[in-house]
């Protein structure tokens, strides 16, 4: 959906439709994670291991140049 968004100018109908589909897909994805992924991860990962994993993720994100995360 992001690629499709990049093909459109910010004109009313087409852009709005694609943006709406993208937003809906994001909400479905986030809902799935909230209901299924995170509860299972919390059940499988002890608090200390979760904290260690969180620190590793933050360090990895800080190591990536800011513009590398931007979508062209």
């Amino acid at each position: 959906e992001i690629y499709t968004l990049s093909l459109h100018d910010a004109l009313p109908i087409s852009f709005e439709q694609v943006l709406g589909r993208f937003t809906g897909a994001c909400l479905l994805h986030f809902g799935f994670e909230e209901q299924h992924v995170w509860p299972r991860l919390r059940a499988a990962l002890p608090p200390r291991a979760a904290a260690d994993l969180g620190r590793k993720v933050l360090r990895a994100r800080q190591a990536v140049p800011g513009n590398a995360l931007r979508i062209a």
Side-chain angles (χ1 to χ4, degrees):
E1 295 293 336
I2 291 175
Y3 175 73
T4 306
L5 280 173
S6 70
L7 297 177
H8 295 281
D9 292 328
L11 296 176
I13 296 174
S14 182
F15 179 80
E16 293 292 330
Q17 289 173 341
V18 173
L19 185 59
R21 288 198 322 258
F22 176 74
T23 302
C26 287
L27 292 174
L28 286 173
H29 175 80
F30 298 153
F32 177 83
E33 284 187 348
E34 295 266 334
Q35 292 179 346
H36 302 284
V37 177
W38 297 119
R40 290 178 69 185
L41 182 63
R42 277 192 292 277
L45 203 58
R48 185 175 181 105
D52 290 342
L53 179 61
R55 281 190 289 276
K56 289 177 184 178
V57 169
L58 286 175
R59 276 197 306 265
R61 290 185 76 190
Q62 291 168 350
V64 175
N67 62 353
L69 298 176
R70 210 174 325 146
I71 298 169

Coordinates of all heavy atoms in Angstrom, one line a residue:
E1 N 0.8 -1.2 0.0 CA 0.0 0.0 0.0 C 0.9 1.3 0.0 O 0.5 2.2 -0.6 CB -0.9 0.0 1.2 CG -2.0 -1.1 1.2 CD -3.0 -1.0 0.1 OE1 -3.2 0.1 -0.4 OE2 -3.6 -2.0 -0.2
I2 N 2.0 1.2 0.7 CA 2.9 2.4 0.7 C 3.3 2.7 -0.7 O 3.4 3.9 -1.2 CB 4.1 2.2 1.6 CG1 3.6 2.2 3.1 CG2 5.1 3.4 1.5 CD1 4.6 1.9 4.1
Y3 N 3.7 1.7 -1.5 CA 4.1 1.9 -2.9 C 3.0 2.6 -3.7 O 3.2 3.5 -4.4 CB 4.6 0.6 -3.5 CG 4.9 0.8 -5.0 CD1 6.1 1.4 -5.4 CD2 4.1 0.3 -6.0 CE1 6.4 1.6 -6.7 CE2 4.4 0.5 -7.3 CZ 5.5 1.1 -7.7 OH 5.8 1.3 -9.0
T4 N 1.8 2.1 -3.5 CA 0.7 2.6 -4.2 C 0.5 4.1 -3.8 O 0.2 4.9 -4.7 CB -0.6 1.8 -3.9 OG1 -0.4 0.4 -4.2 CG2 -1.8 2.3 -4.8
L5 N 0.6 4.4 -2.6 CA 0.5 5.8 -2.2 C 1.5 6.7 -2.9 O 1.2 7.8 -3.3 CB 0.7 5.9 -0.6 CG -0.4 5.6 0.3 CD1 0.0 5.6 1.7 CD2 -1.6 6.5 0.1
S6 N 2.7 6.2 -3.1 CA 3.7 7.0 -3.7 C 3.4 7.3 -5.2 O 4.0 8.2 -5.8 CB 5.1 6.4 -3.6 OG 5.2 5.2 -4.4
L7 N 2.5 6.5 -5.8 CA 2.2 6.7 -7.2 C 1.2 7.8 -7.4 O 0.9 8.2 -8.5 CB 1.7 5.4 -7.8 CG 2.6 4.2 -7.8 CD1 1.9 3.0 -8.4 CD2 3.9 4.6 -8.6
H8 N 0.6 8.3 -6.4 CA -0.5 9.2 -6.5 C -0.1 10.6 -6.0 O 0.6 10.7 -5.0 CB -1.7 8.8 -5.6 CG -2.3 7.5 -6.1 ND1 -3.2 7.5 -7.2 CD2 -2.2 6.2 -5.7 CE1 -3.5 6.2 -7.5 NE2 -3.0 5.4 -6.6
D9 N -0.7 11.6 -6.6 CA -0.6 13.0 -6.1 C -1.6 13.0 -5.0 O -2.5 12.2 -4.9 CB -0.9 14.0 -7.1 CG 0.2 14.0 -8.2 OD1 1.4 13.8 -7.9 OD2 -0.1 14.3 -9.4
A10 N -1.5 14.1 -4.2 CA -2.5 14.2 -3.1 C -3.8 14.8 -3.6 O -4.3 15.8 -3.2 CB -1.9 15.1 -2.0
L11 N -4.4 14.1 -4.6 CA -5.7 14.5 -5.2 C -6.8 13.8 -4.4 O -6.6 12.7 -3.9 CB -5.7 14.2 -6.6 CG -4.7 15.0 -7.5 CD1 -4.8 14.5 -8.9 CD2 -5.0 16.5 -7.4
P12 N -8.0 14.4 -4.3 CA -9.0 13.9 -3.4 C -9.3 12.4 -3.5 O -9.1 11.7 -2.5 CB -10.2 14.7 -3.8 CG -9.7 15.9 -4.6 CD -8.4 15.5 -5.1
I13 N -9.8 11.9 -4.6 CA -10.4 10.5 -4.5 C -9.4 9.4 -4.4 O -9.4 8.7 -3.5 CB -11.4 10.3 -5.7 CG1 -12.6 11.3 -5.5 CG2 -11.9 8.9 -5.7 CD1 -13.5 11.3 -6.7
S14 N -8.6 9.3 -5.4 CA -7.6 8.2 -5.5 C -6.7 8.1 -4.2 O -6.6 7.1 -3.6 CB -6.8 8.3 -6.7 OG -6.0 7.2 -6.8
F15 N -6.1 9.2 -3.9 CA -5.2 9.2 -2.7 C -6.0 8.9 -1.5 O -5.5 8.1 -0.7 CB -4.6 10.6 -2.6 CG -3.7 10.8 -1.4 CD1 -2.4 10.3 -1.5 CD2 -4.1 11.4 -0.3 CE1 -1.5 10.4 -0.4 CE2 -3.3 11.5 0.8 CZ -2.0 11.0 0.8
E16 N -7.2 9.5 -1.3 CA -7.9 9.2 -0.1 C -8.3 7.7 0.0 O -8.3 7.1 1.1 CB -9.2 10.1 -0.1 CG -8.9 11.5 0.1 CD -8.4 11.9 1.5 OE1 -8.7 11.2 2.5 OE2 -7.6 12.9 1.6
Q17 N -8.7 7.1 -1.1 CA -9.1 5.7 -1.1 C -7.9 4.8 -0.7 O -8.0 3.9 0.1 CB -9.6 5.3 -2.5 CG -11.0 5.8 -2.8 CD -11.4 5.5 -4.2 OE1 -10.6 5.2 -5.0 NE2 -12.7 5.7 -4.4
V18 N -6.7 5.1 -1.3 CA -5.5 4.3 -1.0 C -5.1 4.5 0.5 O -4.8 3.6 1.2 CB -4.4 4.6 -2.0 CG1 -3.1 3.9 -1.5 CG2 -4.8 4.2 -3.4
L19 N -5.2 5.7 0.9 CA -4.8 6.0 2.3 C -5.8 5.3 3.2 O -5.3 4.8 4.3 CB -4.8 7.5 2.5 CG -4.3 8.0 3.9 CD1 -2.9 7.6 4.1 CD2 -4.4 9.5 4.0
G20 N -7.0 5.3 2.9 CA -8.0 4.6 3.8 C -7.7 3.1 3.8 O -7.8 2.5 4.9
R21 N -7.4 2.5 2.7 CA -7.1 1.1 2.7 C -5.8 0.8 3.5 O -5.7 -0.1 4.3 CB -6.9 0.5 1.3 CG -8.2 0.4 0.5 CD -8.1 -0.5 -0.7 NE -6.9 -0.4 -1.4 CZ -6.7 0.3 -2.6 NH1 -7.7 0.9 -3.1 NH2 -5.5 0.3 -3.2
F22 N -4.8 1.7 3.4 CA -3.6 1.5 4.1 C -3.8 1.7 5.6 O -3.3 0.8 6.4 CB -2.6 2.6 3.7 CG -1.3 2.6 4.5 CD1 -0.4 1.6 4.3 CD2 -1.0 3.6 5.4 CE1 0.8 1.5 5.0 CE2 0.1 3.6 6.1 CZ 1.1 2.5 5.9
T23 N -4.6 2.7 6.0 CA -4.9 2.9 7.4 C -5.7 1.7 8.0 O -5.4 1.2 9.1 CB -5.8 4.1 7.6 OG1 -5.0 5.2 7.1 CG2 -6.1 4.4 9.0
G24 N -6.6 1.1 7.2 CA -7.4 0.0 7.7 C -6.5 -1.3 7.8 O -6.6 -2.0 8.8
A25 N -5.5 -1.4 6.9 CA -4.6 -2.6 7.0 C -3.7 -2.4 8.2 O -3.4 -3.4 8.9 CB -3.7 -2.7 5.7
C26 N -3.3 -1.2 8.5 CA -2.5 -0.9 9.7 C -3.2 -1.3 11.0 O -2.7 -1.9 11.9 CB -2.0 0.5 9.8 SG -0.7 0.9 8.6
L27 N -4.5 -0.8 11.0 CA -5.3 -1.1 12.2 C -5.5 -2.6 12.4 O -5.4 -3.1 13.6 CB -6.6 -0.3 12.1 CG -6.5 1.2 12.2 CD1 -7.9 1.8 12.0 CD2 -5.9 1.6 13.6
L28 N -5.7 -3.3 11.4 CA -5.9 -4.8 11.5 C -4.6 -5.4 12.0 O -4.6 -6.3 12.9 CB -6.3 -5.4 10.1 CG -7.7 -5.2 9.7 CD1 -7.9 -5.7 8.3 CD2 -8.6 -5.9 10.6
H29 N -3.5 -5.0 11.4 CA -2.2 -5.5 11.8 C -1.9 -5.2 13.3 O -1.5 -6.1 14.1 CB -1.1 -4.9 11.0 CG 0.3 -5.3 11.4 ND1 0.9 -6.5 11.0 CD2 1.2 -4.6 12.1 CE1 2.1 -6.6 11.6 NE2 2.3 -5.4 12.2
F30 N -2.1 -4.0 13.7 CA -1.9 -3.6 15.1 C -2.8 -4.4 16.1 O -2.4 -4.8 17.1 CB -2.1 -2.1 15.4 CG -1.2 -1.2 14.6 CD1 -1.5 0.1 14.2 CD2 0.1 -1.7 14.2 CE1 -0.7 0.9 13.5 CE2 1.0 -0.9 13.5 CZ 0.6 0.4 13.1
G31 N -4.1 -4.5 15.7 CA -5.0 -5.3 16.5 C -4.6 -6.8 16.6 O -4.7 -7.3 17.7
F32 N -4.1 -7.4 15.5 CA -3.6 -8.7 15.6 C -2.5 -8.8 16.6 O -2.4 -9.8 17.4 CB -3.2 -9.2 14.2 CG -2.6 -10.6 14.2 CD1 -3.5 -11.7 14.2 CD2 -1.3 -10.8 14.3 CE1 -2.9 -13.0 14.2 CE2 -0.7 -12.1 14.3 CZ -1.6 -13.2 14.3
E33 N -1.5 -7.9 16.5 CA -0.4 -7.9 17.4 C -0.8 -7.8 18.9 O -0.4 -8.5 19.7 CB 0.6 -6.8 17.1 CG 1.5 -7.2 15.8 CD 2.6 -6.1 15.6 OE1 2.6 -5.1 16.3 OE2 3.4 -6.5 14.8
E34 N -1.7 -6.8 19.1 CA -2.2 -6.6 20.5 C -2.9 -7.8 21.0 O -2.8 -8.2 22.2 CB -3.2 -5.4 20.5 CG -2.6 -4.1 20.1 CD -2.1 -3.3 21.3 OE1 -2.6 -3.5 22.4 OE2 -1.2 -2.5 21.2
Q35 N -3.7 -8.5 20.2 CA -4.5 -9.6 20.7 C -3.7 -11.0 20.7 O -4.0 -11.8 21.5 CB -5.7 -9.8 19.8 CG -6.7 -8.7 20.0 CD -8.0 -8.9 19.1 OE1 -7.9 -9.7 18.2 NE2 -9.0 -8.1 19.3
H36 N -2.8 -11.1 19.8 CA -2.2 -12.4 19.7 C -0.7 -12.5 19.9 O -0.2 -13.3 20.6 CB -2.4 -13.0 18.2 CG -3.9 -13.2 17.9 ND1 -4.7 -14.2 18.5 CD2 -4.7 -12.4 17.2 CE1 -5.9 -14.0 18.0 NE2 -6.0 -12.9 17.3
V37 N 0.1 -11.5 19.3 CA 1.5 -11.6 19.4 C 2.1 -11.2 20.7 O 2.8 -11.9 21.4 CB 2.1 -10.7 18.3 CG1 3.7 -10.6 18.4 CG2 1.7 -11.2 16.9
W38 N 1.7 -10.0 21.2 CA 2.2 -9.5 22.5 C 1.9 -10.4 23.7 O 2.7 -10.6 24.5 CB 1.9 -8.0 22.7 CG 2.5 -7.1 21.6 CD1 1.8 -6.3 20.8 CD2 3.8 -7.0 21.3 NE1 2.7 -5.7 19.9 CE2 3.9 -6.1 20.2 CE3 5.0 -7.5 21.8 CZ2 5.1 -5.8 19.6 CZ3 6.2 -7.2 21.2 CH2 6.3 -6.3 20.1
P39 N 0.6 -10.8 23.8 CA 0.3 -11.7 25.0 C 1.2 -13.0 24.9 O 1.6 -13.4 26.0 CB -1.2 -12.0 24.8 CG -1.7 -10.8 24.0 CD -0.6 -10.4 23.1
R40 N 1.4 -13.6 23.7 CA 2.2 -14.8 23.7 C 3.6 -14.5 24.0 O 4.3 -15.3 24.6 CB 2.0 -15.4 22.3 CG 0.6 -16.0 22.1 CD 0.5 -16.5 20.7 NE 1.3 -17.8 20.6 CZ 1.4 -18.4 19.5 NH1 0.8 -18.0 18.4 NH2 2.1 -19.5 19.4
L41 N 4.1 -13.4 23.5 CA 5.5 -13.0 23.8 C 5.7 -12.8 25.3 O 6.7 -13.3 25.9 CB 5.9 -11.7 23.1 CG 7.4 -11.3 23.3 CD1 8.3 -12.4 22.7 CD2 7.6 -10.0 22.5
R42 N 4.7 -12.1 26.0 CA 4.8 -11.9 27.4 C 4.8 -13.2 28.2 O 5.5 -13.4 29.2 CB 3.7 -11.0 27.9 CG 4.0 -9.5 27.7 CD 3.0 -8.6 28.4 NE 1.6 -8.7 27.9 CZ 1.2 -8.0 26.8 NH1 2.0 -7.2 26.2 NH2 0.0 -8.1 26.4
A43 N 4.0 -14.1 27.7 CA 3.9 -15.4 28.4 C 5.2 -16.3 28.2 O 5.5 -17.0 29.1 CB 2.7 -16.2 27.8
A44 N 5.9 -16.1 27.1 CA 7.0 -16.9 26.8 C 8.3 -16.3 27.2 O 9.3 -17.0 27.4 CB 7.1 -17.2 25.3
L45 N 8.4 -15.0 27.5 CA 9.6 -14.3 27.7 C 9.6 -13.8 29.2 O 8.8 -12.9 29.5 CB 9.8 -13.1 26.7 CG 11.1 -12.6 26.4 CD1 12.1 -13.7 25.9 CD2 11.0 -11.5 25.4
P46 N 10.6 -14.2 30.0 CA 10.6 -13.7 31.3 C 10.9 -12.2 31.3 O 11.5 -11.6 30.4 CB 11.8 -14.4 32.0 CG 12.1 -15.6 31.1 CD 11.6 -15.2 29.7
P47 N 10.5 -11.4 32.3 CA 10.6 -10.0 32.3 C 12.1 -9.5 32.1 O 12.3 -8.5 31.3 CB 10.2 -9.5 33.7 CG 9.2 -10.6 34.1 CD 9.7 -11.9 33.5
R48 N 13.0 -10.2 32.7 CA 14.4 -9.7 32.5 C 14.9 -9.9 31.0 O 15.5 -9.1 30.4 CB 15.4 -10.5 33.4 CG 16.8 -10.0 33.3 CD 17.7 -10.8 34.3 NE 19.0 -10.3 34.3 CZ 19.6 -9.5 35.1 NH1 18.9 -9.0 36.2 NH2 20.8 -9.1 35.0
A49 N 14.5 -11.0 30.4 CA 14.8 -11.3 29.0 C 14.1 -10.2 28.1 O 14.7 -9.8 27.1 CB 14.4 -12.7 28.6
A50 N 12.9 -9.9 28.5 CA 12.1 -8.9 27.7 C 12.8 -7.5 27.8 O 13.0 -6.8 26.8 CB 10.7 -8.8 28.2
A51 N 13.3 -7.2 29.0 CA 14.0 -5.9 29.1 C 15.3 -5.9 28.3 O 15.7 -4.9 27.7 CB 14.3 -5.7 30.6
D52 N 16.1 -7.0 28.4 CA 17.3 -7.1 27.6 C 17.0 -7.0 26.1 O 17.7 -6.3 25.4 CB 18.0 -8.5 27.8 CG 18.6 -8.6 29.2 OD1 18.8 -7.5 29.9 OD2 18.9 -9.7 29.7
L53 N 15.9 -7.7 25.6 CA 15.6 -7.6 24.2 C 15.2 -6.1 23.8 O 15.6 -5.6 22.8 CB 14.4 -8.5 23.9 CG 13.8 -8.5 22.5 CD1 14.9 -8.9 21.5 CD2 12.6 -9.4 22.4
G54 N 14.5 -5.4 24.7 CA 14.1 -4.0 24.5 C 15.3 -3.2 24.4 O 15.4 -2.3 23.5
R55 N 16.3 -3.4 25.2 CA 17.6 -2.6 25.1 C 18.3 -2.8 23.8 O 18.8 -1.9 23.2 CB 18.5 -2.9 26.3 CG 18.0 -2.2 27.6 CD 19.1 -2.3 28.7 NE 19.2 -3.7 29.2 CZ 18.3 -4.2 30.1 NH1 17.4 -3.4 30.7 NH2 18.5 -5.4 30.6
K56 N 18.3 -4.1 23.4 CA 19.0 -4.4 22.1 C 18.3 -3.8 20.9 O 18.9 -3.3 20.0 CB 19.0 -6.0 21.9 CG 20.0 -6.7 22.8 CD 19.9 -8.2 22.7 CE 20.8 -8.9 23.7 NZ 20.7 -10.3 23.5
V57 N 16.9 -3.8 21.0 CA 16.2 -3.1 19.9 C 16.5 -1.6 19.8 O 16.7 -1.0 18.8 CB 14.7 -3.4 20.0 CG1 13.9 -2.5 19.1 CG2 14.4 -4.9 19.8
L58 N 16.5 -1.0 21.0 CA 16.8 0.5 21.1 C 18.2 0.8 20.6 O 18.4 1.7 19.8 CB 16.6 1.0 22.5 CG 15.2 1.1 23.0 CD1 15.2 1.5 24.4 CD2 14.4 2.1 22.1
R59 N 19.2 -0.1 20.9 CA 20.5 0.1 20.5 C 20.6 0.0 18.9 O 21.3 0.8 18.3 CB 21.5 -0.8 21.1 CG 22.0 -0.3 22.5 CD 23.2 -1.1 22.9 NE 23.1 -2.5 22.9 CZ 22.7 -3.3 24.0 NH1 22.5 -2.7 25.1 NH2 22.6 -4.6 23.9
A60 N 19.9 -1.0 18.4 CA 19.9 -1.2 17.0 C 19.3 -0.1 16.2 O 19.8 0.4 15.2 CB 19.2 -2.5 16.6
R61 N 18.2 0.5 16.8 CA 17.5 1.6 16.1 C 18.4 2.8 16.2 O 18.4 3.6 15.2 CB 16.2 1.9 16.8 CG 15.2 0.8 16.5 CD 13.8 1.2 17.1 NE 13.2 2.2 16.2 CZ 12.1 2.8 16.5 NH1 11.5 2.6 17.7 NH2 11.6 3.7 15.7
Q62 N 19.2 3.0 17.2 CA 20.0 4.2 17.4 C 21.2 4.1 16.4 O 21.8 5.1 16.0 CB 20.5 4.4 18.8 CG 19.4 4.8 19.7 CD 19.7 4.6 21.2 OE1 20.8 4.1 21.6 NE2 18.9 5.2 22.1
A63 N 21.6 2.9 16.0 CA 22.8 2.6 15.2 C 22.4 2.9 13.7 O 23.3 3.1 12.9 CB 23.3 1.2 15.3
V64 N 21.1 3.0 13.4 CA 20.7 3.2 12.0 C 20.6 4.7 11.8 O 20.0 5.4 12.5 CB 19.4 2.5 11.7 CG1 18.9 2.8 10.3 CG2 19.5 1.0 11.9
P65 N 21.2 5.2 10.7 CA 21.0 6.6 10.4 C 19.6 7.0 10.2 O 18.8 6.2 9.7 CB 21.8 6.8 9.1 CG 22.7 5.6 8.9 CD 22.0 4.5 9.7
G66 N 19.2 8.1 10.7 CA 17.8 8.5 10.7 C 17.1 8.4 9.3 O 16.0 8.0 9.2
N67 N 17.8 8.8 8.3 CA 17.2 8.8 6.9 C 17.1 7.4 6.4 O 16.4 7.2 5.4 CB 17.9 9.8 6.0 CG 19.4 9.3 5.8 OD1 19.9 8.4 6.4 ND2 20.1 10.0 4.9
A68 N 17.7 6.4 7.0 CA 17.6 5.1 6.5 C 16.2 4.5 6.7 O 15.8 3.5 6.1 CB 18.7 4.2 7.1
L69 N 15.6 5.0 7.7 CA 14.2 4.5 8.1 C 13.1 5.2 7.3 O 12.0 4.8 7.4 CB 14.0 4.7 9.6 CG 15.0 3.9 10.5 CD1 14.7 4.3 12.0 CD2 14.9 2.5 10.3
R70 N 13.5 6.3 6.6 CA 12.5 7.0 5.8 C 12.1 6.3 4.5 O 13.0 5.6 3.9 CB 13.1 8.4 5.5 CG 12.0 9.4 5.3 CD 12.5 10.8 5.1 NE 13.7 11.1 5.8 CZ 14.7 11.9 5.3 NH1 14.6 12.5 4.1 NH2 15.8 12.1 6.0
I71 N 10.9 6.3 4.2 CA 10.4 5.7 2.9 C 10.6 6.7 1.8 O 10.1 7.8 1.9 CB 9.0 5.2 3.1 CG1 8.9 4.2 4.2 CG2 8.4 4.7 1.8 CD1 7.5 3.9 4.7
A72 N 11.2 6.2 0.7 CA 11.4 7.1 -0.4 C 10.2 7.2 -1.3 O 9.3 6.4 -1.3 CB 12.6 6.6 -1.3

